[in-house]
Amino acid sequence: MAKYIGFRLLATIPLLFAIAVVTFLIAVAMEANGSIAGQVCGEGATTECILEIEESLGLNDPLPTRFVSWLGDVLSGDLGVSLLDRNASVNELISERIWPSLSIVGLSLIIGISLGMLMGVVAAIRPGGLVDRTFSVAAASVIAAPGFLIGMMLAWGIGVELGWLSPVGYTSPSESITGWFKSLILPSIALGMPTLAIVQRQLRSSMANSLQSRYILAARARGVGRATLIGRHALPNAMVPTITVIGFRAASAIGLTTAIEIVFGIRGMGEMLVSAILNRNVTVLQGGMLVVGLVVSTVNLLVDISYGFLNPKVRLNK
Amino acid sequence: MTGNSNEPLEDADLPAGTDELLEDVGHIPTPSGLSANKTDSPRRRFWRRMFKNPLGVFSMLWFLILLVAWVWPELLATHDPFKQDLTFTRLYEGPSSDHWLGTDERGRDFYSRVIHGAGFAFRSILIAMTIAVGVGVPLGMFSGWRGGRLDRAIMWVNDVFFSLPIILLAMAVIIILSPSLDNAMIGVGIAMSTRFTRLTRAVTLQEKEELYVDAARISGLSTPTVLARYIAPNLLSSLIVQAAIISGAIILIGATLSFLGIGASLDDPDWGVMLNRGRNIFRTEGIWQIVPPGAALILTVLAFNLLGDAIRDAIGRDASNNALTISKRVDIAPSDRPHRPGALLSVRTIDVEFPSPGKEPVQILNGVSLGVLPGKTLGIVGESGSGKSMTVLSALGLTPAPGRLTRGSVQFDERDVTSLSESEWQEIRGKDIGVIFQEPIAVLNPAIKVGKQLMEPLLLHTELSKAEARQRAVELLAEVKVPDPERRMDQYPHEFSGGMAQRVGIAMALACSPKLLIADEPTTALDVTVQGQILDLLMDLQKERGTSIILITHDLGVIAEVADRVIVMYAGQVVEGGLADDIFGRPRHPYTKALLDTMPQNHHGGEGDDLAVIPGVVPAPTDWPVGCRFAPRCQYATDRCREEMPVLEVLSDGVIVRCHHHEELSGEAYAGRGEVSL
Amino acid sequence: MTQPLLSVEHLAVHFAGRGRLFSPDPPPVKAVNDVSFTIDSQRTFGLVGESGSGKSTVARAILQLVDIHDGSIHLDGDDVTRVARSAELGFRKRVQAVLQDPFSSLNQVHTTETIIGDPITRHLAIKAGDERRERVADLLDLVGLGHEFLDRYPYEMSGGQRQRISIARALAVEPDLVIADEATSALDVSIQSQVINLLREIQRERDVAFLFIAHDLEVVSHMSHDVGVMYLGYLVERGPSDDVYAQPTHPYTEMLIASIPFPEPGEQAKRRGLRQTFKVAEPPSPANLPPGCPFENRCPVAMDICREEMPAVTQAHHGGEARCHLHTSGPELGGGSVVEFIRSEARGNVGV
């Protein structure tokens, strides 16, 4: 197993390098698409402003030199300064913005995966039964609804009309733990609902496949009871594809939290990226993309490793 | 995550289940010939299933409306979607006879804007899908067909893109080009192409291994021809399902980007933009502004997903029954024949039926009786579709759903077990009756260590502690001659060869020292040299423990090796039964005799002579003749055979036979056998 | 002596292992090693072996479906080891095949007329139309199917009928050699004999040579003039089929014969004792073959040299060849039958 994890870790290195190259090229592409400095400094731009920005981006150096110095900075943990606010370092900006986003994504995954698995298993026990059909219609409808729309409905219904929870804003855990948790509930449910539906559907479908296998019939012929058949025999096999799907969903939840943050007025990574795109704030964009890429790669690595735990073939052969 | 075909093809943004299109192995057997309706072509069956599925019909109707809204919006819209009316009272108006859904923040007609939104949705799909299919399908086909290092490199890059959030990729393209819905869709198209690459490659890899592709190459057909005429048609169905589901995802992502303000322009009548507008005001003006675009969005995505599901269900097989499904309890008519005295297991005149929608149920077992005495071996022999496996499964209360036992009675160990409940059966199965199956590796759970699986019946049915059960399991493995049993305990099924896995299967069946062992084609999937060793093992164990055995096989040679008594089955009935020496030495039924004659073993030495044949094919249960079921293939058949079904007769020497002409056969000495070489 | 139709010399096929992109490749699987045999025209050569013996790979190598590692293949004296793309069509016209699984060897989306007609169009330049349809109908006659099968799809046919279609497709281009790879294995007993008889009849009428591959020695020896026995990629014995069957010169052949289940209880009981002298062991992996004889760990009469050295090919009494140390070391049987030797040895070991 250690060897398998080692190989997966090694395989992540070229991936991280590729992400770094792409992130770097974003700046190059943006420059090719019109002067960044000109746009950032605005219409009545002073030469001073433009020169300063060009200098800080190193626009006058040849590409390889720029890349090496940029990569050096990144590796030493320095992501530069925001172009809009010369006093704000990107590091600080991100470390401030990343916690709300990670909190929402994390809680949404906990909700979605736990409930989704439960409902998936329940539905698989009697395919075509009332529970299964109800769940599958519900899951199909939820998957069809974007998370931000669910978020707006929750914010309106529970936040505005019922007034149970605040429809807007984020409380940092350093201020109040309960306040932090309360501020996360609605956004996490909004982001977690589609996760729940996706996990439910995948697990139901792979459970159904697994329950049709001969080893289930064989176990039944040994006198194994229903609960054990479902929990011990079918579930581990059905989890293999489900884990993969959970991994993909975790990655896309990181992207989709952007819209959730905007609905609930939470200043997270997503909101930062969107305004950076609209303001063409290159350094913030690069830093943000890099960090998101890193998080996504970590998620994928975790998925690969848990895949190895669940599937003996993967672990032993490779 | 590099190109492993075991992975699911769908991902987080798409509903699950595309993998069901791909072939899966080892599902529960249904009687052959039952599902294959010969007059029903796949195409006709597809459309029949589509129109019978209410969700499929709903989605098709919804698309019809959307299509009109896209191609000819003026037909449905009542106002110009861009026409503003900034009179204060005309803003955020509620529904009225003029503005069916009210007006928005600039007094524009909301209904007309929602109608025009369909155009944006379809435009998004068109752009993204063109790129996704245009890049993904050829790349996947190339990669899968070509194989090797290039394939691995392509799939590595593909999987990197696959695992990135689509929103992020779309953002990257927007950053590079400039914010607009079309540009965003280029990014989405690139992201979605990875889904098509994966699917196409997986199907191509799988089809490439199919024998008909080899056959086409042997025929001399060129690679492009093989790809176009052989791979592509088989790819198409999976692609259509995937495309439907991905179309829904594209609309969702487009709406999300527009909602974020980096998609469609803020004046456009795009559903995402409308939701963006609604976001700013729902806290003060109420929720209404997000309802119409939200509903249109959800219904459209839902329709795509349902369409995908409906197509998949219409192509695929019925998955509504699994090995857990306990077949429906019906009143079981009692048998009119008494149980065999002293028999350990006695089955009397059982019928098994499979319901057939809109038609009479199909009977696949008809009055099957058998009995096995303590310490003896009963062999059941027959070709595929004869009902031999169904007989024992039904006797054990394991009739595969939706089949059901409708007549007869089963007695085990002096106890009537015909209508035991599932939990009562759980006490007997594994403890008093052990079962060995045909495919030894497929019946072991791939995710659980072999030792653990072997300990399971011990922990279930005995008082042994975990440590004792493990000790006993090791002993059992040693008993079935698995070398190095301690090490083997901690291995997984895929590390076992077929022969070794079958030894584990035997150990598992014998773990609780059952009185009866049922072996369903235990050696069919094994090599012939291993087969002999497994049969030897079974017989040795029987000698030591005095277990009764029922051995099911299609191979008369295997039966001859181990059975004391033999039953021959044909088309759901017992046609002959008796002591093995009688059956093989003096077959009384034309089918038994013909089966023996067709075996090359009985022709050895004769260079020039052809094998005896049984003309025709085994009929499907729906086509069973009214008279003797073997009559159409029988050389002795007369008109009586074609009209009147013979009954099972007991002959003076104890042999039972179902044939009008058994007396003619009894007279003939069986002389067809040549010199045997060993 | 006239030139054989097909001659395979020292054929070896290895499959490269396929690791993940960033892992080392596993060792190659040596599927076929140093296999040589010939087939004369209008004769049948049978190849028998268990799963993993490499018999199907030999067929695939001749059919140009896998890359050949070493050795050569000649057809009528022409080197066809690696057929150039330009010459492929000509080669395909001469060598055809009937493959194992009648359910997957026919494409579900085409009718019989297309399945059999495609190669006719390709090789004989007869476009789809009346003439082609007539030819296909004639072929259906040949394989004993009615003309109503012309417009049927594979899913409308039984296994035996599909296999007849496969045979018709192979014969459509009038080949010299037809390779039948487990062509009857997936069929029910009563259907198997129909197809075997059909193949024999076709050989009499069409002057075609067969390479008949199966795991069932009984079926192979019934079909074939000569047989080869394969074990883990090696051809361990080769000779006239009746002689190999009656007086085998390799212990593995003897084991195969002893394992054939006979439909007669008395006969089976006799063979049981002999069969039990063979050891229970897993055959080695073809990716990790031992230096010695691959059958050594299951062989009842293995000697020390068998563990260390791969035996060379020696002449056998029946005019064929055997690959076993017994003929040159230990008892030095010198190509004679191993039957008596194994029986006396076995008696000493287990007291049968």
Side-chain angles (χ1 to χ4, degrees):
Chain A
M1 192 67 208
K3 204 174 155 195
Y4 171 74
I5 295 177
F7 266 123
R8 301 320 299 150
L9 270 172
L10 277 180
T12 311
I13 293 174
L15 174 62
L16 291 179
F17 185 76
I19 290 175
V21 172
V22 171
T23 312
F24 172 74
L25 289 178
I26 283 178
V28 180
M30 280 176 78
E31 182 62 29
N33 209 18
S35 162
I36 294 168
Q39 291 178 36
V40 169
C41 294
E43 274 183 28
T46 58
T47 332
E48 194 184 48
C49 172
I50 288 182
L51 279 179
E52 196 184 321
I53 284 179
E54 285 184 344
E55 168 76 44
S56 75
L57 290 175
L59 289 185
N60 303 323
D61 295 331
L63 268 188
T65 323
R66 269 172 72 190
F67 179 65
V68 169
S69 86
W70 178 81
L71 192 64
D73 285 348
V74 167
L75 287 179
S76 66
D78 178 12
L79 297 173
V81 232
S82 164
L83 295 187
L84 284 186
D85 178 359
R86 312 308 318 264
N87 296 323
S89 87
V90 176
N91 289 36
E92 277 171 34
L93 205 59
I94 288 177
S95 63
E96 183 186 307
R97 298 297 197 100
I98 197 164
W99 295 113
S101 301
L102 283 184
S103 306
I104 296 173
V105 171
L107 189 58
S108 81
L109 287 177
I110 293 173
I111 296 171
I113 294 169
S114 54
L115 291 180
M117 279 180 52
L118 189 71
M119 290 166 72
V121 171
V122 170
I125 294 174
R126 205 164 256 296
L130 185 68
V131 177
D132 181 33
R133 276 179 294 155
T134 314
F135 280 5
S136 81
V137 171
S141 320
V142 169
I143 289 175
F148 67 85
L149 190 57
I150 300 175
M152 283 198 277
M153 316 248 255
L154 288 173
W156 174 76
I158 294 176
V160 179
E161 292 293 301
L162 295 172
W164 291 351
L165 290 162
S166 164
V168 67
Y170 170 78
T171 312
S172 150
S174 57
E175 282 171 54
S176 149
I177 291 282
T178 46
W180 171 68
F181 188 69
K182 275 186 176 168
S183 68
L184 290 180
I185 293 179
L186 291 183
S188 305
I189 293 179
L191 189 60
M193 286 277 273
T195 313
L196 185 158
I198 287 161
V199 172
Q200 194 272 341
R201 279 185 64 123
Q202 172 62 50
L203 193 60
R204 184 229 168 257
S205 132
S206 42
M207 278 291 279
N209 266 341
S210 178
L211 284 173
Q212 288 198 323
S213 309
R214 290 202 71 97
Y215 55 76
I216 297 291
L217 180 69
R220 213 179 134 203
R222 289 199 294 274
V224 177
R226 232 177 143 71
T228 317
L229 283 180
I230 292 167
R232 294 269 311 279
H233 285 265
L235 191 59
N237 290 292
M239 276 311 287
V240 176
T242 311
I243 277 287
T244 316
V245 160
I246 287 174
F248 294 143
R249 177 61 197 174
S252 68
I254 293 167
L256 293 170
T257 182
T258 311
I260 303 290
E261 288 165 18
I262 287 181
V263 168
F264 289 94
I266 293 171
R267 293 167 61 77
M269 288 288 285
E271 197 262 357
M272 180 188 87
L273 282 176
V274 171
S275 44
I277 290 174
L278 295 173
N279 298 328
R280 304 187 77 73
N281 194 342
V282 184
T283 44
V284 173
L285 262 182
Q286 282 182 315
M289 287 290 207
L290 202 62
V291 169
V292 172
L294 201 67
V295 174
V296 171
S297 312
T298 313
V299 168
N300 288 338
L301 184 67
L302 289 177
V303 168
D304 270 5
I305 290 172
S306 54
Y307 200 69
F309 271 108
L310 281 167
N311 188 347
K313 277 188 207 172
V314 170
R315 185 186 338 148
L316 294 164
N317 292 355
K318 304 290 154 72
Chain B
M1 245 177 269
T2 315
N4 187 322
S5 58
N6 285 330
E7 286 170 25
L9 288 160
E10 66 272 24
D11 63 287
D13 297 302
L14 317 170
T18 319
D19 60 330
E20 285 166 25
L21 286 171
L22 303 180
E23 192 181 25
D24 66 333
V25 284
H27 56 91
I28 302 302
T30 47
S32 53
L34 206 70
S35 50
N37 190 339
K38 281 182 182 157
T39 55
D40 205 6
S41 77
R43 188 165 300 154
R44 210 179 316 158
R45 190 184 61 192
F46 173 80
W47 286 112
R48 187 168 45 79
R49 286 192 183 177
M50 278 301 275
F51 282 106
K52 263 177 71 179
N53 183 345
L55 297 176
V57 174
F58 155 76
S59 49
M60 286 188 279
L61 282 177
W62 180 251
F63 283 124
L64 208 64
I65 299 172
L66 283 184
L67 212 63
V68 175
W70 174 33
V71 181
W72 197 1
E74 292 76 19
L75 193 72
L76 295 174
T78 51
H79 291 73
D80 176 353
F82 292 99
K83 188 167 170 261
Q84 302 186 1
D85 182 350
L86 292 171
T87 321
F88 183 68
T89 53
R90 313 291 328 232
L91 309 182
Y92 297 133
E93 209 176 70
S96 65
S97 58
D98 185 26
H99 299 292
W100 295 353
L101 296 177
T103 60
D104 69 359
E105 80 280 5
R106 296 202 181 152
R108 295 173 291 205
D109 180 59
F110 214 52
Y111 166 73
S112 303
R113 283 180 75 76
V114 172
I115 292 291
H116 278 266
F120 283 82
F122 276 106
R123 187 185 165 83
S124 303
I125 294 176
L126 214 62
I127 295 173
M129 199 57 91
T130 308
I131 295 172
V133 173
V135 174
V137 172
L139 191 65
M141 232 186 207
F142 171 77
S143 194
W145 185 260
R146 164 99 197 228
R149 279 186 191 279
L150 189 64
D151 171 49
R152 280 188 278 167
I154 290 176
M155 289 320 288
W156 188 79
V157 174
N158 191 70
D159 284 350
V160 167
F161 275 90
F162 190 98
S163 61
L164 290 178
I166 301 171
I167 294 270
L168 221 60
L169 279 170
M171 281 183 181
V173 174
I174 289 171
I175 294 167
I176 293 167
L177 296 177
S178 72
S180 87
L181 190 59
D182 290 358
N183 286 344
M185 283 305 138
I186 294 173
V188 174
I190 294 169
M192 290 303 181
S193 75
T194 61
R195 276 76 180 159
F196 284 103
T197 312
R198 273 190 149 212
L199 176 73
T200 312
R201 173 178 173 273
V203 176
T204 309
L205 271 182
Q206 189 195 327
E207 296 291 325
K208 196 169 82 166
E209 298 302 316
E210 291 287 344
L211 285 177
Y212 67 78
V213 171
D214 280 344
R217 289 173 67 187
I218 292 164
S219 290
L221 303 186
S222 61
T223 303
T225 316
V226 173
L227 282 174
R229 297 207 37 205
Y230 287 73
I231 305 263
N234 291 295
L235 178 64
L236 199 64
S237 56
S238 327
L239 271 185
I240 291 172
V241 173
Q242 182 90 339
I245 291 167
I246 281 185
S247 299
I250 289 172
I251 298 183
L252 270 187
I253 292 162
T256 305
L257 290 167
S258 294
F259 175 78
L260 290 175
I262 49 179
S265 122
L266 294 182
D267 279 332
D268 282 340
D270 172 277
W271 296 334
V273 171
M274 285 181 246
L275 290 171
N276 175 313
R277 294 284 154 221
R279 163 179 72 92
N280 297 326
I281 52 112
F282 76 85
R283 292 189 189 84
T284 51
E285 300 284 331
I287 197 81
W288 174 249
Q289 292 279 318
I290 66 172
V291 172
L297 183 65
I298 293 178
L299 279 175
T300 308
V301 178
L302 189 62
F304 271 117
N305 291 348
L306 292 177
L307 185 71
D309 283 0
I311 296 172
R312 192 189 57 228
D313 290 348
I315 309 169
R317 71 191 150 74
D318 180 18
S320 62
N321 289 296
N322 61 40
L324 270 193
T325 318
I326 293 159
S327 46
K328 255 196 205 100
R329 235 153 238 294
V330 288
D331 288 335
I332 300 169
S335 171
D336 50 4
R337 284 182 55 203
H339 282 288
R340 189 193 174 95
L344 179 65
L345 179 78
S346 169
V347 173
R348 281 295 169 262
T349 60
I350 57 169
D351 288 356
V352 169
E353 289 180 357
F354 272 70
S356 159
K359 284 178 230 150
E360 281 281 289
V362 182
Q363 201 177 58
I364 62 160
L365 286 186
N366 175 235
V368 176
S369 301
L370 57 88
V372 57
L373 297 169
K376 294 289 185 184
T377 302
L378 171 74
I380 307 179
V381 68
E383 294 179 276
S384 51
S386 61
K388 52 194 191 304
S389 296
M390 193 64 69
T391 303
V392 287
L393 285 177
S394 298
L396 290 184
L398 290 170
T399 316
R404 57 199 177 211
L405 186 68
T406 52
R407 183 174 71 111
S409 128
V410 184
Q411 184 180 300
F412 175 71
D413 209 10
E414 310 286 312
R415 177 181 176 198
D416 187 347
V417 295
T418 318
S419 29
L420 287 194
S421 73
E422 182 67 14
S423 57
E424 286 169 312
W425 265 120
Q426 279 167 18
E427 297 291 308
I428 299 175
R429 292 188 206 128
K431 183 162 174 281
D432 296 323
I433 302 178
V435 187
I436 306 170
F437 291 93
Q438 173 169 359
E439 300 149 57
I441 295 177
V443 301
L444 290 172
N445 192 323
I448 305 179
K449 283 179 184 166
V450 164
K452 264 197 162 167
Q453 300 192 50
L454 187 49
M455 285 158 64
E456 194 174 56
L458 291 166
L459 294 172
L460 266 174
H461 300 296
T462 68
E463 302 292 308
L464 295 183
S465 71
K466 255 199 165 156
E468 288 165 342
R470 190 182 160 89
Q471 189 49 45
R472 180 81 192 100
V474 174
E475 289 166 21
L476 279 165
L477 283 183
E479 219 173 311
V480 296
K481 299 197 183 111
V482 171
D484 204 358
E486 275 284 353
R487 188 176 60 89
R488 288 302 212 163
M489 286 285 286
D490 292 320
Q491 289 187 330
Y492 286 90
H494 72 268
E495 296 171 81
F496 281 69
S497 70
M500 283 301 154
Q502 194 57 293
R503 286 173 191 272
V504 174
I506 293 173
M508 217 181 280
L510 290 175
C512 302
S513 307
K515 298 182 180 124
L516 173 64
L517 186 66
I518 292 176
D520 185 358
E521 302 262 13
T523 58
T524 304
L526 305 178
D527 281 329
V528 64
T529 52
V530 180
Q531 162 172 292
Q533 293 175 336
I534 294 288
L535 294 177
D536 290 345
L537 176 67
L538 276 177
M539 290 176 76
D540 289 345
L541 291 168
Q542 180 179 37
K543 227 176 270 166
E544 286 163 26
R545 295 161 169 244
T547 318
S548 302
I549 296 180
I550 296 180
L551 182 91
I552 302 162
T553 178
H554 68 279
D555 190 332
L556 287 161
V558 170
I559 290 278
E561 165 107 33
V562 297
D564 301 306
R565 295 183 65 85
V566 178
I567 280 177
V568 183
M569 289 188 69
Y570 184 79
Q573 291 180 323
V574 174
V575 294
E576 184 167 6
L579 290 173
D581 286 328
D582 287 335
I583 300 290
F584 288 102
R586 241 154 48 95
R588 257 43 87 73
H589 195 284
Y591 176 62
T592 317
K593 181 177 185 303
L595 266 189
L596 284 165
D597 286 346
T598 57
M599 294 182 74
Q601 278 89 326
N602 285 333
H603 279 261
H604 210 263
E607 248 297 308
D609 64 336
D610 277 349
L611 297 174
V613 297
I614 306 177
V617 295
V618 183
T622 44
D623 302 334
W624 281 342
V626 281
C628 172
R629 290 180 179 168
F630 187 59
R633 306 176 69 189
C634 180
Q635 53 171 321
Y636 299 89
T638 54
D639 285 345
R640 185 182 171 206
C641 302
R642 284 180 275 272
E643 282 150 21
E644 180 195 333
M645 184 186 289
V647 293
L648 266 181
E649 280 178 66
V650 185
L651 306 186
S652 57
D653 56 356
V655 169
I656 52 170
V657 63
R658 188 191 288 276
C659 177
H660 293 308
H661 300 284
H662 66 82
E663 275 160 9
E664 294 163 41
L665 268 94
S666 304
E668 287 176 29
Y670 182 56
R673 190 158 324 152
E675 193 69 25
V676 178
S677 72
L678 237 150
Chain C
M1 229 181 110
T2 55
Q3 194 172 31
L5 175 68
L6 180 83
S7 123
V8 173
E9 275 155 42
H10 307 295
L11 180 71
V13 179
H14 296 177
F15 294 111
R18 184 180 189 278
R20 291 181 161 222
L21 191 62
F22 296 104
S23 341
D25 281 342
V29 174
K30 294 179 178 170
V32 174
N33 301 294
D34 193 17
V35 166
S36 306
F37 62 89
T38 57
I39 306 177
D40 291 331
S41 57
Q42 299 168 47
R43 301 278 284 182
T44 300
F45 182 76
L47 209 48
V48 68
E50 297 177 290
S51 54
S53 64
K55 57 191 190 303
S56 288
T57 309
V58 170
R60 296 175 63 81
I62 298 168
L63 289 166
Q64 309 283 319
L65 295 175
V66 292
D67 289 334
I68 290 163
H69 179 75
D70 201 8
S72 68
I73 301 169
H74 287 83
L75 186 68
D76 250 350
D78 303 330
D79 188 344
V80 293
T81 315
R82 288 173 193 85
V83 175
R85 208 164 263 203
S86 54
E88 190 177 328
L89 202 59
F91 171 77
R92 298 276 182 220
K93 192 182 170 315
R94 305 190 59 194
V95 180
Q96 280 293 309
V98 179
L99 301 173
Q100 174 176 15
D101 182 356
F103 290 90
S104 84
S105 62
L106 302 179
N107 194 349
Q108 300 298 316
V109 301
H110 295 307
T111 61
T112 299
E113 189 187 349
T114 317
I115 290 170
I116 303 177
D118 263 356
I120 295 179
T121 306
R122 181 82 173 142
H123 292 277
L124 309 175
I126 299 171
K127 289 256 151 50
D130 287 346
E131 191 191 346
R132 196 180 86 167
R133 196 174 162 85
E134 211 162 284
R135 267 183 178 260
V136 175
D138 289 347
L139 285 159
L140 288 181
D141 288 340
L142 180 70
V143 298
L145 290 177
H147 293 187
E148 69 273 16
F149 279 88
L150 273 170
D151 298 314
R152 283 202 192 160
Y153 287 93
Y155 57 80
E156 299 171 307
M157 301 178 218
S158 70
Q161 289 162 347
R162 289 163 189 240
Q163 209 57 307
R164 287 169 193 265
I165 300 287
S166 294
I167 294 169
R169 170 175 59 189
L171 295 173
V173 298
E174 292 158 8
D176 301 322
L177 173 67
V178 171
I179 298 178
D181 184 8
E182 299 269 17
T184 62
S185 308
L187 304 174
D188 266 324
V189 209
S190 70
I191 308 299
Q192 176 175 296
S193 57
Q194 295 174 358
V195 175
I196 289 174
N197 284 354
L198 175 65
L199 288 173
R200 288 169 59 108
E201 189 188 313
I202 283 167
Q203 183 164 54
R204 286 194 293 266
E205 286 179 14
R206 287 280 178 127
D207 298 339
V208 53
F210 281 115
L211 172 56
F212 188 88
I213 299 170
H215 64 269
D216 186 335
L217 180 58
E218 272 298 338
V219 172
V220 170
S221 63
H222 182 81
M223 266 298 294
S224 315
H225 303 101
D226 299 293
V227 297
V229 180
M230 287 192 74
Y231 187 76
L232 273 170
Y234 288 96
L235 195 61
V236 296
E237 176 159 8
R238 178 174 67 75
S241 87
D242 289 342
D243 296 339
V244 169
Y245 193 93
Q247 297 288 315
T249 58
H250 194 285
Y252 177 67
T253 315
E254 172 70 354
M255 183 178 188
L256 267 184
I257 295 167
S259 300
I260 298 167
F262 254 76
E264 193 194 0
E267 181 61 37
Q268 276 301 90
K270 266 193 266 167
R271 297 147 62 103
R272 227 182 137 210
L274 175 65
R275 212 169 55 211
Q276 281 180 337
T277 63
F278 293 91
K279 292 180 212 150
V280 174
E282 300 225 34
S285 152
N288 188 18
L289 287 178
C293 171
F295 186 58
E296 180 269 328
N297 66 343
R298 298 173 73 191
C299 182
V301 289
M303 303 174 289
D304 288 340
I305 189 174
C306 302
R307 239 182 310 279
E308 290 146 17
E309 216 176 282
M310 182 66 212
V313 175
T314 47
Q315 281 294 315
H317 69 89
H318 46 52
E321 291 165 351
R323 202 187 256 274
C324 178
H325 283 304
L326 287 179
H327 300 293
T328 48
S329 312
E332 297 197 26
L333 298 177
S337 159
V338 294
V339 177
E340 281 311 312
F341 177 71
I342 291 181
R343 273 183 214 186
S344 59
E345 278 292 300
R347 220 164 268 133
N349 286 343
V350 290
V352 175

